[in-house]
Amino acid sequence: MKKCAIVVDSCFNIPNGKYKDLYIIPNIINEEVDGKIVSYRDGETINNDRLCEKLNNNAKISTSTPIIGEFITLIAKLSSEYDEVYCLCIPTTISSTYNNWKMAAEDYKNVFVFNQTLVGRLSSWTIDDIVQTRDHGKLTKKYVEQLINNSTSNRAGVIVVPDVSYLQKGGRVKGFKAFIANALHLKLIISLDKDGLQFRDKSLSIKGAVDKMIIWIDKLIHLKSKQIKRIVIMKSAVSVERFKIDEYVELLKQKIPDVNIEYECLPAVIIAHTGPNYIVLGIEVE
């Protein structure tokens, strides 16, 4: 059986040590403190809860791509120790990491870099499938390409952000739109799919926002006509009480089928843009 390694960045939210022969390169979270930049390694020197606490205390946060030198050093080592090395990272709609990794791996015939389109649990489902196939001795480059292609059409997530201030800081909601959203306490509905983070709709009420989450997932992956394979609800453990994130969760549980629901949080690199107050519904269909 050939020996295969998997390399991911921290946008997959996979805990260190979960899988054998899986290597994680952290995204970088930056904080401006007294005019200086302090950088943290996602999952190592900062975790999601600590980042959310900082954001709730109005910290000035930004993100950077993983350190390319770490990737170059790692694949140089892995390419000689493994028959094949499979690398997946944060989508190109959010970061330039894929282009950097692709260029760095050009000289290695047994190192493959894939462009996938999702984050968090929606993307780590792919890693679960890759690991299972690898452990049965059936992993190939073609299989991973097909797996990613299927995930693009069969998976989608929708985020509700009741606090638009972080989206405003990141330039995703601008000017008068941001003013209106704040003034009317609008809940923004944002898709998390092959197009990246895209504004889709808005709602004045929590119930209306939850209804629109279901509507948009149906539009993206034809939910009503297909069988659900997996569901995840992602929310911060340290959201501000006034945004009533747990109320969204209870309403979602009433709306979706009685299947096994996973619970997670978004990766830090995404929370830095959405803010700590969010709710995500992610679904994969057969």
Side-chain angles (χ1 to χ4, degrees):
M1 184 185 297
K2 64 183 177 183
K3 190 178 179 184
C4 301
I6 302 166
V7 179
V8 298
D9 67 10
S10 57
C11 89
F12 290 80
N13 251 10
I14 299 174
N16 282 305
K18 181 177 180 179
Y19 291 124
K20 181 182 178 182
D21 300 316
L22 184 140
Y23 301 84
I24 302 172
I25 296 181
N27 288 290
I28 305 300
I29 308 296
N30 303 306
E31 179 182 12
E32 183 179 334
V33 180
D34 298 327
K36 298 181 179 179
I37 299 298
V38 178
S39 294
Y40 306 96
R41 295 168 62 85
D42 180 22
E44 296 180 5
T45 57
I46 193 169
N47 60 26
N48 288 23
D49 287 358
R50 183 64 183 129
L51 174 62
C52 289
E53 289 171 359
K54 286 180 176 291
L55 289 169
N56 280 326
N57 289 319
N58 298 314
K60 295 180 180 179
I61 299 293
S62 61
T63 60
S64 301
T65 59
I67 298 170
I68 188 60
E70 284 189 40
F71 179 73
I72 292 171
T73 301
L74 180 62
I75 61 170
K77 178 176 182 291
L78 297 183
S79 65
S80 63
E81 296 177 354
Y82 292 85
D83 298 305
E84 294 175 347
V85 183
Y86 294 81
C87 308
L88 298 89
C89 62
I90 191 170
T92 55
T93 51
I94 300 172
S95 169
S96 62
T97 301
Y98 168 76
N99 294 325
N100 295 339
W101 285 16
K102 186 74 172 175
M103 186 179 300
E106 284 181 350
D107 293 334
Y108 300 93
K109 293 183 179 180
N110 64 336
V111 178
F112 311 120
V113 181
F114 301 90
N115 183 21
Q116 63 90 39
T117 61
L118 301 166
V119 299
R121 192 63 181 123
L122 285 164
S123 59
S124 66
W125 282 335
T126 298
I127 304 303
D128 293 347
D129 294 341
I130 289 173
V131 169
Q132 184 178 23
T133 303
R134 178 195 67 183
D135 292 348
H136 284 87
K138 297 180 179 179
L139 188 61
T140 64
K141 180 183 178 184
K142 184 176 180 180
Y143 169 80
V144 176
E145 289 171 341
Q146 187 60 52
L147 192 63
I148 291 172
N149 184 58
N150 290 343
S151 72
T152 300
S153 57
N154 293 342
R155 293 180 201 165
V158 173
I159 309 172
V160 169
V161 181
D163 174 13
V164 303
S165 58
Y166 299 95
L167 294 171
Q168 185 176 7
K169 289 176 185 177
R172 294 185 181 274
V173 181
K174 300 180 180 179
F176 188 66
K177 286 184 179 179
F179 172 78
I180 292 297
N182 277 314
L184 298 180
H185 303 292
L186 291 177
K187 289 78 175 154
L188 301 189
I189 292 90
I190 299 168
S191 67
L192 179 63
D193 54 43
K194 62 182 176 62
D195 298 317
L197 294 171
Q198 295 288 325
F199 170 75
R200 298 293 186 181
D201 215 329
K202 58 188 179 297
S203 175
L204 281 167
S205 69
I206 293 176
K207 182 180 182 302
V210 167
D211 288 341
K212 289 181 178 182
M213 292 176 86
I214 304 292
I215 289 169
W216 270 102
I217 286 189
D218 182 48
K219 288 181 178 180
L220 293 167
I221 57 173
H222 309 293
L223 178 62
K224 293 178 182 177
S225 62
K226 295 182 180 179
Q227 183 176 350
I228 292 175
K229 182 178 180 180
R230 294 182 276 212
I231 295 179
V232 63
I233 291 178
M234 294 181 269
K235 74 179 188 72
S236 167
V238 289
S239 57
V240 175
E241 178 60 31
R242 66 188 172 91
F243 292 113
K244 301 179 180 179
I245 297 300
D246 288 336
E247 190 171 331
Y248 289 89
V249 174
E250 292 307 311
L251 284 171
L252 279 172
K253 287 163 66 176
Q254 295 171 24
K255 292 280 186 179
I256 55 184
D258 186 19
V259 298
N260 182 40
I261 302 172
E262 300 180 55
Y263 294 91
E264 277 207 12
C265 57
L266 279 172
V269 69
I270 304 301
I271 294 172
H273 298 285
T274 64
N277 306 293
Y278 64 85
I279 180 72
V280 183
L281 175 63
I283 294 180
E284 179 179 13
V285 294
E286 297 285 1

